[in-house]
Structure formats: structure tokens, C-alpha cells
């Protein structure tokens, strides 16, 4: 049990009335720890009722008294929100009777105190929590709240817990008046790891990594971490298809951005989100050189250097396109998944290729590093590195691994990774690249690799070009049909455009094929459909003047044919 828990437990179990001040920085979890303790100890409280009141926005003591009355609940119902049932329980028989008298004798009502004061007058023997003292509205002074706490202790036999942040304007008045009111004072300073454990469950897959990144920034604010966790949760299921390295990169960025977004305004040593949005790796040079004619000792440049060192200490390289989407999500509270995932897919490939290079390098270090009799270790490392990175291994690395495995009498391993490799490329679209890849390998291609790929090529070529093109006209975009059209010859395109197909007009065919002009990334090969369409239209335009006029009407070809 922590010191703060011990202190509050001792205060609550005592039969004496009193005032306990729990002080701590903004967001460290004062309300959280108090709610946890009051719920755990509700059955053993020495007072029958409990009332929680946030002073946020309240502007007078009358407001506070009213809220104490309205929020008072039986101690057995601590943890439940006040409702009409709990409110009706606060009207004692005497108070109900007095209310009836006041309604029947208006003159008497005008002579007596306000209804709020009468309601408050009926309360006694409570545990009361007054939260958010530093956020009280204008008109509600610290000395007034402390005076009320003293009255509750002395006249209402109640226990009062005040939760406050040591904001400067609060601190001065609090220090001035606390001596006559506060019986116990505790400054709550939880460690960053304790704050993290309040928000993140240790069952979270990346718990250890996220905790290390949070602790490295010294985050001691529950609200920051809750906001960060909410954003992680909103996209975490979608991240399962990516490498752990990329997921960690996303988590690292979200933790940093959340911290900067919520803490920069209070601590200028923490970089601003504007600086993050503009940060590039080249900015590191500003640590040592003047930039844009700006003196290296200017306040702006010195601040810039501090922020760059802050990023370096955290391990943050630069803000790429993916990071810009994440940063925007932190600022507005919502991550645009449609923007994010294409960028993640591209970045993930880089992460996996880097991991592959490292794994393969480690395997070959066993081979090249000594004359030890360690064939088994080399085989295991080569097999595992190839297998675990099969979706991203290149032809040269595959062929080299297969060659060595066969030489070391492990053809079973070699055949297995060939099968996995071909299976991982089963949906490869750009079949024309396969032979080019073979030609780039300096070693002799393993016969089984070439044989299986030949079978793959035959299977992909089995889809008829014309049938596939008609399916595209019908809005059917199965991958094998697109691939068949990609691999068609220019003469196939000419024949397709000139032939009759189910009532489709020539213009329908041209516009359908024209849609593939701007494909990029992993589907860049689809743009070859447009390239072949252009070549086919050139040939058709040369056939007659009227066909040239028809082709020109599409504005697809250069003006000079």
C-alpha cells in the first residue's frame, strides 16, 4: 500500500471530524486515487453518507452547499451516480415538514434563509470530497472554500477531503489560511511508471515498450495517457497486419505527440506540435550550423536546438507522411484511417526489408565468421531467416539460401522455402518482372525455382485477354482479370477496341481502360493498361482519317501523331 493510501485510510477510519488536503500536479491522478480508496473503504466509513462535489465553474458558497446536498448518497451507494432516489433520501422528515409550512405561509418563507441553506442545514455526519479547487469559478475564493470546510468539520461533524493543484494563484491563498483549517496535508507525487499502470493494463501486447517510451518522457499525467490510449485503441486492431517494428513506431509517435500536444503550453521545454509537423532529419544540422542566416545564439535557434535534442533523446527521427496523419489525429482527437493505412503499408515494407537484411546478415556471419564446425547453426539461421521473411525476400537471397541448403544436404528445407516463396507471390500482378528478376541473379537459378515459377506463369496466362477485358467493362475487377489485361499485347488491345462485345460502344471500352492511367505503389503495373491503350489508339488512328478524328476526340494521345 502506498503512502497516500495509508494516509487517507488513517484519516477515514478515525471517528474524529477533520480536513485532509491532497495536493498534486495537474493530471497526476488525485481524483483517481481518491475514488479508488473511497470505494474500497466505503463499508468501514465512520460517516453514513458521502458527497463528491467538483468546484469547477461554481461561483459561490451557496452553489457548493447546494451541490453537497444534491450529491449526497448513502455510503453503500458510493460509486453510483446520484439520482432521484438518492436525492429523496436527503430530505429528512423535518425538512419535508418545514418545506410544507413554507409553501403555506409565504411570509414566513421570506423571513427564513434560502432553500439551499435550509437543505445544507439538514446535512451532517458526511464524508465530503471537494475537487478542482483551482478551477472554481470567479467569485468563489479559496478562503471561502476553506471556511466552508472548517464549518463542515466543526459544526457538521464531517470529514472533508480537498483535492487541489498547486497553481500559483491558489497556492498563495491556501498557504495563508490552511493553518486554521487543514488537519492533514499530503503531496501526491506518483512516479511515471505508476501513472502509466493506471491507464495501461499489462495484458496490452506492447505494454513494456509503451511503458518504456512513456517513462523516458517522464509523463505523469493521466489525461495525456488516457487520450493516447484511446487513439491507440481506435487503430490497434487494424495494426495487426503490420510488423511489430512498425506498430512500435506508431505507438512511440502517438505517445510523443500526445505529450507535446497537452503539455507544451505549460512547459516550453517540451516541443510544440507545430515544430513536430515541420521536423525533418536535416534539422539536426541546426545543432551545429547557422540556418537561413539566423544567428546560432538567437533565442529562437537556442530553443530549436533544445527541442531537437529532446527528440534525439527520445529516439525520434523525423516527421514523415504517416506521422503527419498521426499528429493530426492527436490534435483533433480522431485518426483518419483511410489516409493512414496506405502510408503504413508502404512504411511497413521498409521495416520488413530492413529486418530481413539484418536477419540474413546474421545468418551469413555464421558462415563467414570462422572455420568452426557449425553447419547446423548456419542451416538453422539461414532457414529461419528465409522462412520468417518469405514475403519480402528477393530472388537473389532466395536462390543463394536454396543453393547452400542443398549443398549441406537439407533439400527438404530448400524445397519448403521455395514453396512458401511461390505461395507468397501467388497474387503477384506484374508477371513480366519475374524473368527480369531471374536475369539479375548472378548464380545459376535453382531448377526447382524456375520450374515452379514457370507453372505460375502458365496459370496466370490461362485467363483469356478478351474475356478479362469484357469483365472489366462489366465492373468485375478480380485480380486475375486485371493481370490478364496488363499482360495482353498491343494487338490484343486493337482487336478488342475494334470488335463488338455485347453492345458495348467503342467509347465505353476506351474510357474503361483509360481509368488505369494513374495507378502507383504496389499496383503501379496496372498503369501499363493505359500505356498499351495509347499504343493501340495510335495504330487505329493511322488506319483512316475518321479513326484519327475519333481517337483525337478522347484527348488521350499527344496532339502531334
Amino acid at each position: 500500500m502506498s503512502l497516500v493510501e495509508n494516509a487517507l485510510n488513517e484519516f477515514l477510519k478515525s471517528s474524529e471530524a477533520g480536513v485532509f488536503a491532497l495536493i498534486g500536479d495537474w493530471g497526476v491522478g488525485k481524483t483517481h486515487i481518491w475514488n479508488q480508496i473511497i470505494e474500497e473503504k466505503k463499508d468501514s466509513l465512520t460517516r453514513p453518507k458521502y458527497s463528491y462535489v467538483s468546484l469547477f465553474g461554481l461561483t459561490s458558497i451557496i452553489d457548493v452547499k447546494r451541490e453537497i446536498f444534491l450529491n449526497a448518497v448513502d455510503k453503500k451507494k458510493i460509486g453510483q451516480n446520484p439520482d432521484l432516489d438518492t436525492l429523496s433520501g436527503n430530505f429528512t422528515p423535518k425538512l419535508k415538514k418545514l418545506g410544507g409550512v413554507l409553501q403555506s405561509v409565504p411570509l414566513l418563507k421570506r423571513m427564513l434563509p434560502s432553500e439551499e441553506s435550509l437543505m445544507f442545514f439538514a446535512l451532517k455526519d458526511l464524508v465530503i470530497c471537494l475537487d478542482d479547487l483551482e478551477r472554481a469559478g470567479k467569485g468563489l475564493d479559496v478562503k471561502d472554500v476553506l471556511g466552508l470546510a472548517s464549518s463542515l468539520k466543526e459544526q457538521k461533524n464531517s470529514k472533508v477531503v480537498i483535492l487541489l493543484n498547486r497553481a500559483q494563484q491558489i497556492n498563495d491563498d491556501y498557504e495563508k489560511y490552511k493553518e486554521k483549517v487543514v488537519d492533514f496535508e499530503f503531496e501526491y507525487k506518483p512516479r511515471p511508471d505508476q501513472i502509466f499502470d493506471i491507464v495501461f493494463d499489462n495484458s496490452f501486447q506492447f505494454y513494456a515498450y509503451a511503458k518504456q517510451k512513456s517513462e523516458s518522457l517522464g509523463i505523469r499525467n493521466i489525461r495525456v495517457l488516457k487520450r493516447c490510449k484511446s487513439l491507440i485503441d481506435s487503430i490497434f486492431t487494424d495494426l495487426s497486419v503490420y510488423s511489430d517494428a512498425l506498430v512500435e513506431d506508431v505507438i512511440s509517435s502517438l505517445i510523443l505527440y500526445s505529450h507535446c500536444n497537452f503539455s507544451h503550453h505549460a512547459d516550453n521545454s517540451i516541443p510544440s506540435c507545430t515544430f513536430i509537423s515541420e521536423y525533418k532529419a536535416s534539422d539536426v544540422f541546426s545543432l551545429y550550423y547557422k540556418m537561413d542566416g539566423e544567428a546560432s545564439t538567437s533565442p529562437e535557434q537556442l530553443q530549436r536546438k533544445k527541442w531537437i535534442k529532446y527528440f534525439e533523446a527520445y529516439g525520434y527521427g523525423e516527421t514523415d507522411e504517416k506521422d503527419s496523419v498521426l499528429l493530426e489525429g492527436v490534435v483533433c482527437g480522431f485518426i483518419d484511417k483511410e489516409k493512414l493505412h496506405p502510408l503504413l503499408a508502404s512504411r511497413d515494407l521498409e521495416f520488413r526489408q530492413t529486418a530481413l537484411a539484418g536477419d540474413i546478415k546474421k545468418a551469413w556471419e555464421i558462415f563467414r565468421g570462422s572455420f568452426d564446425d557449425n553447419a547446423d547453426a548456419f542451416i538453422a539461421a539461414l532457414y529461419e531467416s528465409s522462412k520468417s521473411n518469405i514475403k519480402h525476400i528477393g530472388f537473389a537471397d532466395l536462390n543463394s539460401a536454396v543453393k547452400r541448403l542443398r549443398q549441406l544436404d537439407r533439400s527438404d528445407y530448400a524445397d519448403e522455402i521455395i514453396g512458401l516463396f511461390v505461395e507468397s507471390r501467388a497474387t503477384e500482378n506484374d508477371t513480366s518482372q519475374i524473368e527480369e528478376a531471374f536475369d539479375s541473379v548472378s548464380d545459376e537459378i535453382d531448377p526447382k525455382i524456375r520450374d515452379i515459377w514457370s507453372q505460375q506463369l502458365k496459370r496466370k496466362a490461362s485467363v483469356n485477354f478478351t474475356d478479362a477485358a469484357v469483365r472489366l467493362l462489366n465492373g468485375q475487377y478480380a485480380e486475375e482479370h486485371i493481370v490478364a489485361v496488363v499482360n495482353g499485347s498491343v494487338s490484343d488491345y486493337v482487336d478488342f477496341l475494334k470488335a463488338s462485345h455485347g453492345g458495348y460502344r467503342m467509347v465505353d471500352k476506351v474510357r474503361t481502360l483509360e481509368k488505369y492511367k494513374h495507378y502507383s505503389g504496389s499496383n503501379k503495373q496496372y498503369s501499363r493498361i493505359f500505356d498499351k491503350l495509347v499504343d493501340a489508339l495510335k495504330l487505329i488512328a493511322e488506319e483512316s482519317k475518321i479513326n484519327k478524328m475519333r481517337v483525337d476526340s478522347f484527348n488521350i494521345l499527344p496532339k502531334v501523331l
Side-chain angles (χ1 to χ4, degrees):
M1 187 177 293
S2 66
L3 288 176
V4 66
E5 290 175 304
N6 277 327
L8 285 169
N9 283 333
E10 288 296 320
F11 175 72
L12 291 174
K13 75 179 184 180
S14 169
S15 61
E16 298 294 324
V19 177
F20 189 112
L22 182 60
I23 302 169
D25 292 335
W26 177 72
V28 297
K30 299 182 295 293
T31 305
H32 173 85
I33 192 68
W34 166 251
N35 287 337
Q36 177 181 304
I37 291 172
I38 194 66
E39 286 196 42
E40 289 176 356
K41 303 299 179 181
K42 61 184 179 182
D43 293 333
S44 59
L45 293 179
T46 58
R47 301 298 188 275
K49 288 197 172 188
Y50 168 68
S51 182
Y52 171 86
V53 175
S54 170
L55 302 177
F56 186 25
L58 301 186
T59 58
S60 71
I61 285 298
I62 291 178
D63 289 344
V64 180
K65 290 179 177 180
R66 181 183 62 250
E67 291 300 309
I68 292 174
F69 178 86
L70 295 176
N71 293 337
V73 298
D74 186 278
K75 67 179 183 180
K76 294 179 181 179
K77 293 187 177 182
I78 290 176
Q80 302 177 24
N81 291 324
D83 54 27
L84 289 176
D85 289 336
T86 60
L87 178 59
S88 64
N90 295 334
F91 285 92
T92 64
K94 289 183 179 180
L95 188 58
K96 291 178 181 178
K97 183 177 181 180
L98 179 58
V101 172
L102 293 177
Q103 290 297 325
S104 61
V105 187
L107 180 61
L108 180 60
K109 181 178 180 179
R110 290 196 296 270
M111 294 171 60
L112 291 175
S114 66
E115 293 177 1
E116 288 87 350
S117 296
L118 289 173
M119 288 188 293
F120 178 75
F121 183 78
L123 290 177
K124 63 178 181 178
D125 299 328
L126 287 90
V127 174
I128 299 166
C129 176
L130 301 178
D131 198 357
D132 300 317
L133 177 59
E134 69 282 357
R135 294 196 286 179
K138 188 176 181 180
L140 183 59
D141 297 330
V142 173
K143 65 178 180 179
D144 296 328
V145 174
L146 292 178
L148 176 63
S150 178
S151 174
L152 288 165
K153 175 181 70 171
E154 302 293 343
Q155 300 174 24
K156 298 293 185 179
N157 191 37
S158 295
K159 289 179 172 292
V160 182
V161 175
I162 302 174
L163 310 183
L164 69 149
N165 175 15
R166 276 199 185 277
Q168 185 59 47
Q169 66 273 23
I170 296 299
N171 190 52
D172 291 344
D173 284 346
Y174 172 77
E175 291 295 334
K176 183 177 180 180
Y177 297 107
K178 73 172 186 179
E179 181 182 353
K180 297 181 179 180
V181 178
V182 178
D183 302 296
F184 307 94
E185 181 182 271
F186 190 97
E187 187 154 8
Y188 185 44
K189 291 183 176 181
R191 302 186 308 272
D193 64 303
Q194 293 173 316
I195 296 291
F196 184 87
D197 286 338
I198 290 173
V199 179
F200 286 85
D201 190 272
N202 59 14
S203 62
F204 175 50
Q205 183 181 350
F206 294 89
Y207 167 84
Y209 177 80
K211 186 172 187 177
Q212 181 269 319
K213 300 304 288 187
S214 178
E215 287 184 38
S216 71
L217 294 174
I219 298 177
R220 295 176 59 246
N221 191 308
I222 284 180
R223 295 180 182 88
V224 170
L225 289 177
K226 281 185 175 179
R227 182 68 174 270
C228 179
K229 183 178 183 297
S230 176
L231 291 170
I232 292 173
D233 289 345
S234 72
I235 60 171
F236 188 72
T237 301
D238 301 314
L239 296 179
S240 61
V241 299
Y242 302 119
S243 64
D244 286 356
L246 178 62
V247 177
E248 288 180 348
D249 186 63
V250 169
I251 290 172
S252 176
S253 293
L254 287 176
I255 290 173
L256 175 65
Y257 302 162
S258 298
H259 181 50
C260 293
N261 185 47
F262 286 96
S263 305
H264 167 72
H265 69 282
D267 184 352
N268 198 46
S269 69
I270 298 170
S272 68
C273 287
T274 300
F275 183 73
I276 294 174
S277 68
E278 300 168 350
Y279 184 66
K280 301 298 180 186
S282 58
D283 289 345
V284 176
F285 287 106
S286 67
L287 283 170
Y288 311 103
Y289 304 103
K290 296 179 181 180
M291 298 181 64
D292 301 325
E294 184 180 15
S296 61
T297 56
S298 70
E300 294 79 9
Q301 189 70 353
L302 290 175
Q303 183 64 71
R304 186 183 181 91
K305 288 180 178 181
K306 289 179 181 178
W307 286 350
I308 291 172
K309 288 182 178 180
Y310 190 95
F311 286 154
E312 285 190 317
Y314 185 70
Y316 184 73
E318 66 175 351
T319 304
D320 57 23
E321 287 185 89
K322 155 189 68 68
D323 292 320
S324 295
V325 176
L326 293 173
L327 179 61
E328 182 181 346
V330 168
V331 173
C332 72
F334 173 79
I335 296 176
D336 189 334
K337 295 182 183 180
E338 290 188 8
K339 280 186 181 179
L340 179 64
H341 284 296
L343 299 171
L344 289 180
S346 175
R347 193 80 173 96
D348 190 49
L349 181 60
E350 297 176 22
F351 273 103
R352 292 184 186 275
Q353 288 174 337
T354 300
L356 167 64
D359 290 346
I360 291 177
K361 182 179 180 181
K362 289 178 182 177
W364 281 99
E365 280 299 316
I366 298 173
F367 180 79
R368 300 188 180 99
S370 71
F371 284 108
D372 294 343
D373 184 12
N374 54 4
D376 289 344
F378 175 58
I379 290 169
L382 195 60
Y383 169 70
E384 290 298 336
S385 64
S386 300
K387 185 177 177 181
S388 62
N389 295 285
I390 201 66
K391 290 184 178 181
H392 307 283
I393 194 171
F395 283 98
D397 288 328
L398 171 74
N399 194 62
S400 181
V402 166
K403 178 180 178 180
R404 298 305 183 187
L405 289 170
R406 294 201 192 286
Q407 289 174 340
L408 292 170
D409 302 321
R410 291 313 304 257
S411 288
D412 56 335
Y413 279 1
D415 292 343
E416 181 183 352
I417 62 173
I418 290 172
L420 292 172
F421 177 79
V422 173
E423 182 182 344
S424 72
R425 300 301 199 278
T427 58
E428 193 76 53
N429 297 327
D430 198 359
T431 55
S432 65
Q433 301 294 319
I434 297 174
E435 291 300 329
E436 294 176 17
F438 282 163
D439 293 339
S440 69
V441 178
S442 57
D443 287 347
E444 181 181 354
I445 300 295
D446 184 83
K448 189 160 187 175
I449 295 177
R450 189 176 290 279
D451 179 60
I452 292 180
W453 265 120
S454 296
Q455 295 176 30
Q456 284 289 101
L457 287 172
K458 289 179 181 178
R459 184 187 67 78
K460 290 178 179 293
S462 64
V463 180
N464 177 273
F465 171 85
T466 301
D467 290 342
V470 171
R471 286 181 180 273
L472 296 188
L473 280 173
N474 291 327
Q476 299 173 9
Y477 304 111
E479 193 168 350
E480 61 266 25
H481 302 138
I482 300 176
V483 170
V485 176
V486 168
N487 292 329
S489 67
V490 174
S491 62
D492 289 332
Y493 280 71
V494 172
D495 293 342
F496 174 69
L497 291 171
K498 296 178 69 175
S500 174
H501 297 97
Y504 282 107
R505 300 175 303 160
M506 169 267 292
V507 66
D508 298 324
K509 299 175 185 180
V510 173
R511 293 307 184 197
T512 295
L513 299 177
E514 185 185 9
K515 293 177 182 178
Y516 293 87
K517 181 178 181 179
H518 297 295
Y519 273 85
S520 60
S522 61
N523 292 324
K524 184 178 180 180
Q525 64 274 9
Y526 289 177
S527 65
R528 292 171 58 207
I529 293 176
F530 176 78
D531 296 338
K532 292 181 180 181
L533 170 65
V534 170
D535 292 339
L537 290 175
K538 286 179 180 178
L539 293 176
I540 293 172
E542 293 173 354
E543 293 178 351
S544 65
K545 289 184 178 180
I546 191 168
N547 277 352
K548 183 178 184 303
M549 292 169 60
R550 288 167 175 151
V551 169
D552 287 346
S553 69
F554 293 117
N555 292 316
I556 291 177
L557 301 187
K559 293 301 180 183
V560 179
L561 291 176

